[in-house]
Amino acid sequence: MEALDHPAEITFLQDEEGELLLVSSGVWHVATLKQVIPLLERQTRKLSVRSLRWDVSGISSIDSAGMVLIEYYLNLFGKQGIAVEVVGASPEQQKLYQMVASYISAAPKVPEKQSRFLQPIRHLGESVMVFVRDFNAFLSFVGEDFVVLTLLLLQPWKMRYRAIVKHIHDAGVRALPIITLTSFLIGVVIAYQGAVQLQKFGANIFVVDMIGISVTRELAPLITAIVVAGRTGSSYTAQIGVMKITQEIDAMRIMGFEPHRFLVLPRVFAVMIALPLMIFFADIIGIAGGMLVANLHLNISMAEFIHRLQGMLDVKHVWIGVAKGPFFAWLIAMTGCFRGFQVSRDTESIGRYTTVSVVNAIFLVIACDALFSVVLTELGI
Amino acid sequence: MNSVIQVSNVVTRFGSNLVHDGINLSVRQGEIYGLLGGSGSGKSTLLREMIMLQRPQSGEISVLGYDLLSLGRNEAAWLRGQWGVLFQAGALYSSLTVAENVGIKLKEYAGLPGNILQEIVRMKIRMVGLPDYAANLYPAELSGGMIKRASLARALAMDPGLLFLDEPTSGLDPIGAEAFDKLILELREMLNLTVVMVTHDLDSIWTIVDRLAVLGDKKVIAEGSLKEVMSQSHPIIQQFFHGERGRIRVQHGE
């Protein structure tokens, strides 16, 4: 703590012959250099002498950071054509100076900065290249997966059924509470929004049509898939990513355990089985939410609601909603696993790829849903 | 010789598991001090206690004259500036480049302008024998030996007088380990360091350690120079130095 009591100091003196003398004193440690730098900066800018002497005998203690500072300004004087004579250095200080000077001589070339205007273009180019590379990698990942799947279909007893059941439990059963909550609220929101509009026309009963079709055909599949993407897709990326970092994946490959058979396919199958069931579950809860609001807000009794629902809701809407499940599930599980395999050696990349995997999965689910809408409408279903 | 670190009667317990039962040792100014012992003998725990990452249940640890167990906030902060630590796996911040890792403490505490700071960082990186291009690499892009060196550069950033090394040569090949040992010796000369290292590397113990303590049975079973320690008849010491590997090493060392 004593170092802070005598911070580094420097004074600029002019002796009788007009020669400039720099006198430095105090402790020149990394934590005590702060004060001298502004002074040195100011003074060195307006020097007009050809030579100067630097008296360092007053420095009671100096560390390598202090030496770097002195060396830096000696260099600067040198560049301005000023001859500097350093006096009063102790043998230890000279030794430290030799050492520091040997390490900081020959500064490496700084790579030239690119033009500010070209930067955005460069970034754009880099992003496109990353996208192309990722896309290719994803295609080869899917390819590998299908090869393993084909081989597995020839030897179905080699399938990891236990793992599939475990993943159905993790991704499906344990997600039911949050699915219940979100789909119930979606039903409530739709009913409320519709109720206000429909009441204006006295067409209260049509709220049933609205809830029935929108929930079963679009909202339940989409909301369920988004929840699963956030919950399960991300955890797949993290699980596989950690296994990648700890070299478990390498160990599996060495032992001849194909990672696709052991890690990817059980997860993909599990989500593909669980998601349609969860969508059907979300249909029921969503409609129940709507029914509750219709009952409280629009005075449609539950019996009336169910009667109307039976009359107008074609079963094809439910089927279409449920049928979207496996497609969404495949996208979510594959993206999650693929990003997990992309995790590199550092722990930070787990976080990055987990985020990327969720964003990708949600985007793909919505894009796939849009595709369904277009195709089914064109087909007139 | 005045002692830099003084550990007396330290008792550490994790739940019902007694790790240290009255540890006594002292580290002198300017020496390279080895902490030895088998796995689970509590060497790393002792090191963690010396650098205030963990508190012993009772006893006294004083570093540079400050008692670690009754330290004020400001004193603790000052003391943390007096040492550098090299963790076993490097513990480099994975989101920062090597240069940023080395410079982070300087940037935070020294308040130096950017150009001087960069000079200091570059010097430290060269000092530990890393090539200049390593400065812009991220930890994930480094080899095991480079991680150790980068981490050492970070430990030395503030020119500490005291350096703690947790198994500095573990995970390095024999050539890399030898080079690293040599580097530590050189740096000790240049920077007047006092070094405390946890190690099982018999080569390091032979070549660079001045004095050492052997932990076993929850206590320090021997302390002193290698010769003094090896002359003890405690079974753990016999096993350690006179086992197959130790014997070969002894023959080479003569």
Side-chain angles (χ1 to χ4, degrees):
Chain A
M1 297 198 106
E2 72 283 354
L4 296 173
D5 302 336
H6 307 282
E9 279 174 38
I10 193 157
T11 40
F12 286 69
L13 299 173
Q14 209 94 25
D15 71 3
E16 303 87 66
E17 288 114 56
E19 198 183 16
L20 191 64
L21 184 64
L22 269 64
V23 181
S24 44
S25 64
V27 175
W28 285 53
H29 278 184
V30 60
T32 58
L33 293 172
K34 236 179 289 184
Q35 289 96 322
V36 295
I37 292 168
L39 187 67
L40 270 166
E41 273 298 308
R42 250 195 337 271
Q43 294 286 348
T44 46
R45 299 278 169 241
K46 53 180 188 187
L47 284 181
S48 53
V49 291
R50 305 301 311 160
S51 71
L52 60 81
R53 291 205 303 158
W54 193 335
D55 183 0
V56 296
S57 59
I59 295 177
S60 56
S61 169
I62 186 162
D63 68 0
S64 64
M67 272 304 172
V68 169
L69 187 73
I70 291 181
E71 167 69 12
Y72 179 81
Y73 282 102
L74 287 179
N75 260 330
L76 212 65
F77 291 139
K79 272 184 206 147
Q80 295 176 11
I82 303 169
V84 186
E85 188 193 350
V86 178
V87 291
S90 69
E92 288 109 71
Q93 288 174 355
Q94 281 173 7
K95 216 178 91 188
L96 186 63
Y97 176 76
Q98 294 294 333
M99 182 210 93
V100 169
S102 72
Y103 284 121
I104 65 175
S105 57
K109 269 186 221 128
V110 184
E112 271 178 60
K113 278 236 174 89
Q114 291 216 323
S115 153
R116 234 170 242 276
F117 297 104
L118 288 179
Q119 282 261 335
I121 296 174
R122 211 170 61 108
H123 285 318
L124 184 68
E126 278 170 0
S127 318
V128 170
M129 291 316 290
V130 167
F131 176 77
V132 169
R133 219 172 30 236
D134 273 5
F135 188 72
N136 280 335
F138 185 68
L139 284 188
S140 68
F141 180 80
V142 171
E144 201 181 338
D145 199 62
F146 271 106
V147 170
V148 175
L149 178 64
T150 314
L151 293 176
L152 212 52
L153 288 178
L154 298 176
Q155 302 166 302
W157 61 91
K158 281 197 170 175
M159 189 86 85
R160 310 285 295 171
Y161 295 104
R162 250 168 214 283
I164 294 179
V165 172
K166 178 187 164 289
H167 286 304
I168 289 178
H169 179 75
D170 281 349
V173 180
R174 297 178 67 166
L176 287 182
I178 185 70
I179 298 286
T180 311
L181 198 61
T182 41
S183 52
F184 182 80
L185 289 177
I186 285 294
V188 168
V189 168
I190 295 298
Y192 258 111
Q193 295 302 323
V196 176
Q197 304 301 326
L198 293 171
Q199 243 173 353
K200 287 183 194 160
F201 305 102
N204 289 4
I205 192 67
F206 285 106
V207 81
V208 180
D209 304 40
M210 199 176 130
I211 293 166
I213 295 178
S214 65
V215 167
T216 53
R217 195 174 164 128
E218 284 297 329
L219 291 169
L222 209 53
I223 291 297
T224 313
I226 288 171
V227 169
V228 169
R231 210 181 151 275
T232 309
S234 62
S235 84
Y236 287 176
T237 307
Q239 285 166 3
I240 293 177
V242 169
M243 295 181 79
K244 186 94 188 290
I245 285 185
T246 54
Q247 292 194 304
E248 283 172 68
I249 307 256
D250 294 344
M252 289 175 70
R253 286 215 165 96
I254 295 287
M255 296 181 189
F257 301 155
E258 176 53 51
H260 278 276
R261 179 158 74 90
F262 280 76
L263 300 175
V264 179
L265 286 173
R267 286 175 166 80
V268 172
F269 280 133
V271 183
M272 284 176 81
I273 294 167
L275 193 59
L277 300 175
M278 287 155 86
I279 290 173
F280 185 65
F281 177 77
D283 287 346
I284 298 168
I285 303 290
I287 290 172
M291 188 158 72
L292 188 75
V293 172
N295 192 4
L296 295 176
H297 203 72
L298 295 172
N299 296 320
I300 299 171
S301 77
M302 300 216 177
E304 213 179 336
F305 190 101
I306 290 172
H307 181 73
R308 171 82 195 169
L309 195 68
Q310 277 177 332
M312 72 32 83
L313 182 63
D314 280 342
V315 79
K316 75 170 184 192
H317 296 302
V318 179
W319 277 121
I320 287 172
V322 170
K324 287 175 181 176
F327 292 91
F328 291 173
W330 187 82
L331 289 171
I332 293 167
M334 285 301 271
T335 327
C337 293
F338 168 65
R339 291 298 185 186
F341 278 101
Q342 279 195 317
V343 168
S344 55
R345 256 177 56 190
D346 56 328
T347 39
E348 195 206 9
S349 68
I350 291 195
R352 194 168 61 239
Y353 281 113
T354 307
T355 315
V356 170
S357 123
V358 174
V359 172
N360 287 167
I362 290 176
F363 167 75
L364 287 172
V365 162
I366 291 173
C368 180
D369 194 47
L371 193 68
F372 264 111
S373 293
V374 173
V375 171
L376 294 178
T377 311
E378 290 297 315
L379 290 176
I381 304 171
Chain B
M1 284 249 207
N2 50 342
S3 63
V4 178
I5 301 174
Q6 186 79 44
V7 176
S8 32
N9 298 319
V10 161
V11 176
T12 312
R13 196 178 281 119
F14 294 124
S16 61
N17 180 17
L18 189 64
V19 181
H20 300 140
D21 185 13
I23 296 270
N24 291 294
L25 54 85
S26 67
V27 179
R28 296 172 189 160
Q29 173 72 43
E31 71 181 356
I32 297 184
Y33 190 92
L35 281 175
L36 269 77
S39 300
S41 61
K43 336 176 270 304
S44 290
T45 308
L46 190 60
L47 189 82
R48 287 171 66 84
E49 285 170 354
M50 287 180 188
I51 54 181
M52 298 194 289
L53 286 177
Q54 217 163 304
R55 277 174 81 90
Q57 258 67 41
S58 68
E60 203 172 286
I61 301 176
S62 80
V63 178
L64 300 170
Y66 290 90
D67 181 10
L68 296 189
L69 301 183
S70 58
L71 211 55
R73 255 175 68 86
N74 292 334
E75 289 161 325
W78 176 81
L79 209 51
R80 282 200 186 94
Q82 303 307 303
W83 63 52
V85 181
L86 169 62
F87 289 97
Q88 196 174 345
L92 293 170
Y93 299 120
S94 54
S95 57
L96 305 178
T97 62
V98 169
E100 287 165 341
N101 260 293
V102 174
I104 188 165
K105 222 174 152 188
L106 288 164
K107 204 170 172 185
E108 194 64 33
Y109 294 116
L112 299 172
N115 43 4
I116 304 272
L117 197 130
Q118 272 167 15
E119 289 284 333
I120 296 175
V121 167
R122 194 181 315 133
M123 177 192 67
K124 302 279 152 144
I125 286 174
R126 287 179 179 175
M127 205 187 250
V128 297
L130 284 175
D132 283 336
Y133 69 82
N136 297 320
L137 296 181
Y138 285 91
E141 299 164 326
L142 300 178
S143 70
M146 285 168 94
I147 286 177
K148 296 268 183 185
R149 283 170 191 266
S151 177
L152 186 62
R154 186 178 71 173
L156 293 172
M158 296 287 279
D159 273 58
L162 196 54
L163 188 61
F164 292 96
L165 311 173
D166 192 359
E167 306 206 10
T169 53
S170 73
L172 297 185
D173 63 280
I175 301 167
E178 201 183 317
F180 202 81
D181 281 346
K182 231 179 99 201
L183 176 67
I184 290 168
L185 272 182
E186 280 173 15
L187 290 172
R188 195 251 308 245
E189 286 306 309
M190 283 195 288
L191 306 170
N192 299 319
L193 294 169
T194 306
V195 181
V196 177
M197 59 194 276
V198 168
T199 183
H200 337 261
D201 189 334
L202 282 165
D203 290 295
S204 304
I205 295 164
W206 271 88
T207 47
I208 69 167
V209 167
D210 296 318
R211 279 180 355 113
L212 60 137
V214 183
L215 268 62
D217 295 340
K218 306 173 176 59
K219 288 181 188 302
V220 173
I221 52 181
E223 190 191 12
S225 69
L226 187 59
K227 226 178 204 164
E228 289 161 18
V229 168
M230 277 175 63
S231 63
Q232 303 259 333
S233 61
H234 196 285
I236 292 178
I237 292 173
Q238 290 300 318
Q239 245 176 342
F240 205 97
F241 291 102
H242 302 287
E244 194 56 43
R245 304 178 66 156
R247 225 173 31 241
I248 292 168
R249 185 59 205 138
V250 170
Q251 282 158 9
H252 280 259
E254 298 298 303

